[in-house]
C-alpha cells in the first residue's frame, strides 16, 4: 500500500506537459487560421476604440497565454490525472478552450462581432470556473489562469466596442 504524504510531490511527466502545450497551441493555431487573413483586410478597416492595442501584440500575448493554460492543466493533471476528483476542472477547462477557438471563427472568420461578444462572455465564465476548480486542486494552476482572465476581460471590452462602432 502506497502512502501519499502531504509533502510528497506527484511524479512529473514532461511528455504529458508537452502534450498539453501542443493541444493548447493547436487550439490557438486553429483560431489563427481565421485571424491571419482577416487582420490586413477586414480588421484593418474596422473602426476601433482608442485603447485598441497594436496588431503585433496579439500573437505574443496569446502564445504566452496558451502556454500558461497548458501548464495550468498539467498541474491539475499531476495531482488528479483525469479521475473523478478532477472531473469538474476538466469539464470547464476543455469548454473554455473550445470556446476560445470558436471565438476566432465567429469574430474573424464569420465577422459576427455581436455573436462573438456573447460567446466571449461565455468563455470568460468558463475561464473563471477553470480558475475556481483548478484552485481546489492546485493553487498555481489558478494563478496561471489569472492573466488569461484579465486578457479576455480586456478583449471582451474591445469586442463590444468594435461591435458598437461598426
Amino acid at each position: 500500500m502506497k502512502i501519499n504524504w502531504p509533502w510528497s510531490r506527484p511524479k512529473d511527466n514532461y511528455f504529458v506537459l508537452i502534450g498539453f502545450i501542443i493541444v493548447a497551441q493547436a487550439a490557438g493555431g486553429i483560431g489563427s487560421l481565421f485571424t491571419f487573413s482577416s487582420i490586413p483586410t477586414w480588421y484593418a478597416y474596422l473602426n476601433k476604440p482608442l485603447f485598441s492595442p497594436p496588431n503585433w501584440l496579439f500573437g505574443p500575448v496569446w502564445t504566452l497565454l496558451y502556454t500558461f493554460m497548458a501548464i495550468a492543466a498539467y498541474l491539475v493533471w499531476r495531482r488528479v490525472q483525469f479521475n473523478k476528483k478532477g472531473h469538474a476542472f476538466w469539464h470547464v477547462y476543455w469548454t473554455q478552450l473550445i470556446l476560445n477557438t470558436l471565438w476566432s471563427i465567429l469574430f474573424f472568420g464569420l465577422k459576427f462581432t455581436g455573436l462573438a461578444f456573447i460567446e466571449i462572455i461565455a468563455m470568460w465564465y468558463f475561464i473563471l470556473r477553470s480558475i475556481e476548480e483548478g484552485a481546489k486542486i492546485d493553487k498555481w494552476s489558478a494563478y496561471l489562469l489569472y492573466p488569461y482572465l484579465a486578457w479576455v476581460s480586456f478583449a471582451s471590452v474591445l469586442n463590444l466596442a468594435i461591435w458598437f462602432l461598426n
Side-chain angles (χ1 to χ4, degrees), residues 11-130:
K11 185 169 174 56
D12 289 321
N13 184 330
Y14 296 111
F15 291 113
V16 173
L17 173 60
I18 291 167
F20 277 117
I21 291 171
I22 289 169
V23 169
Q25 295 295 341
I30 292 168
S32 70
L33 294 174
F34 296 89
T35 304
F36 285 142
S37 61
S38 292
I39 294 287
T41 57
W42 173 74
Y43 188 75
Y45 296 101
L46 288 176
N47 295 316
K48 293 182 265 318
L50 294 175
F51 59 85
S52 182
N55 293 341
W56 63 264
L57 185 62
F58 290 97
V61 167
W62 276 113
T63 300
L64 182 64
L65 293 175
Y66 284 120
T67 302
F68 284 178
M69 280 183 246
I71 296 169
Y74 173 72
L75 292 174
V76 169
W77 179 87
R78 268 181 60 209
R79 299 264 183 224
V80 298
Q81 284 75 42
F82 295 112
N83 69 26
K84 191 170 184 159
K85 188 174 180 183
H87 181 74
F89 173 80
W90 295 119
H91 173 75
V92 293
Y93 176 81
W94 295 120
T95 301
Q96 67 78 25
L97 193 60
I98 291 166
L99 289 171
N100 184 300
T101 302
L102 180 60
W103 183 86
S104 296
I105 295 168
L106 292 172
F107 188 88
F108 288 105
L110 299 173
K111 299 164 183 61
F112 293 162
T113 57
L115 186 56
F117 175 72
I118 294 166
E119 194 270 359
I120 203 171
I121 297 304
M123 179 172 58
W124 187 94
Y125 169 78
F126 280 97
I127 296 166
L128 180 63
R129 294 288 296 124
S130 295

